[in-house]
C-alpha cells in the first residue's frame, strides 16, 4: 500500500495519469516539484514540504473549491496560488486517498492542452 503522506507517492500517481506528464523543478528549489503536461507546460500539481508535511496545490473548478475546503480541514485555499481556482491538500492522513486522487485527477483534466479536452 502506498503512503499518501509522501511526495514520491503523489509524484508516481501524477505520472500514471498520462504519458505527457513530467516532473519539473522550475524554482531552483528541490522542495518544489511541479507536475506538468509537457505539451502545454501547464502545472497541475505543485508538491512541496511545509510545516513538516507534504502539501499539494491542485487546480479546482471554482464550484468545488468550497466543497473540498468545507469537507476536510486539510484542504485549504492554495498556498501561493489563486484562491478561487486552486486548493492545497495537506497530506496529513485525514483526507481519504480516493478523494486525493479525485482532486489531483480533476486538476490534471482542467489543465490538459486544449486539443485533449
Amino acid at each position: 500500500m502506498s503512503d499518501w503522506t509522501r511526495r514520491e507517492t503523489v509524484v508516481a500517481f501524477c505520472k500514471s495519469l498520462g504519458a505527457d506528464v513530467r516532473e519539473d523543478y522550475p524554482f531552483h528549489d528541490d522542495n518544489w516539484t511541479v507536475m506538468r503536461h509537457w505539451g502545454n507546460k501547464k502545472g497541475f500539481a505543485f508538491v512541496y514540504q511545509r510545516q513538516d508535511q507534504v502539501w499539494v496545490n491542485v487546480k479546482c473548478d471554482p464550484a468545488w473549491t468550497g466543497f473540498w475546503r468545507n469537507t476536510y480541514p486539510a484542504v485549504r485555499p492554495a498556498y501561493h496560488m489563486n484562491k478561487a481556482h486552486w486548493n492545497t491538500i495537506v497530506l496529513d492522513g485525514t483526507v481519504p486517498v480516493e478523494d486525493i486522487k479525485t482532486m489531483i485527477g480533476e486538476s490534471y483534466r482542467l489543465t490538459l492542452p486544449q486539443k485533449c479536452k
Side-chain angles (χ1 to χ4, degrees), residues 4 6 12 37 59 90 96-97 112 114-115:
W4 278 86
R6 298 182 51 216
H37 299 278
K59 189 160 189 172
V90 180
V97 171
L112 277 168
Q114 288 298 321
K115 65 182 180 183

Side-chain angles (χ1 to χ4, degrees), residues 21-65:
V21 174
R22 299 289 185 275
E23 183 176 353
D24 193 13
Y25 295 86
F27 306 123
H28 307 289
D29 179 352
D30 288 343
N31 184 45
W32 283 84
T33 305
V34 179
M35 301 306 299
R36 296 186 185 279
H37 299 278
W38 214 240
N40 65 5
K41 304 291 191 268
K42 287 187 178 181
F44 65 91
F46 293 73
V47 187
Y48 53 98
Q49 184 94 16
R50 186 163 191 260
Q51 300 173 343
D52 297 322
Q53 293 176 311
V54 174
W55 294 29
V56 184
N57 290 354
V58 292
K59 189 160 189 172
C60 190
D61 183 314
W64 283 89
T65 53

Side-chain angles (χ1 to χ4, degrees), residues 81-98:
M81 305 289 277
N82 179 307
K83 311 294 189 237
H85 296 274
W86 290 82
N87 277 340
T88 292
I89 310 165
V90 180
L91 300 180
D92 62 3
T94 63
V95 180
V97 171
E98 288 308 311

Side-chain angles (χ1 to χ4, degrees), residues 5-8 10 18 40 45 55 57 65-66 70 75 77 91-92 103 105 116:
T5 62
R6 298 182 51 216
R7 176 190 307 261
E8 296 81 12
V10 176
N40 65 5
W55 294 29
N57 290 354
T65 53
N70 291 328
V75 177
L91 300 180
D92 62 3
M103 287 184 268
C116 295

Side-chain angles (χ1 to χ4, degrees), residues 95-108:
V95 180
V97 171
E98 288 308 311
D99 286 343
I100 295 169
K101 289 180 178 181
T102 295
M103 287 184 268
I104 293 172
E106 178 68 1
S107 186
Y108 172 85

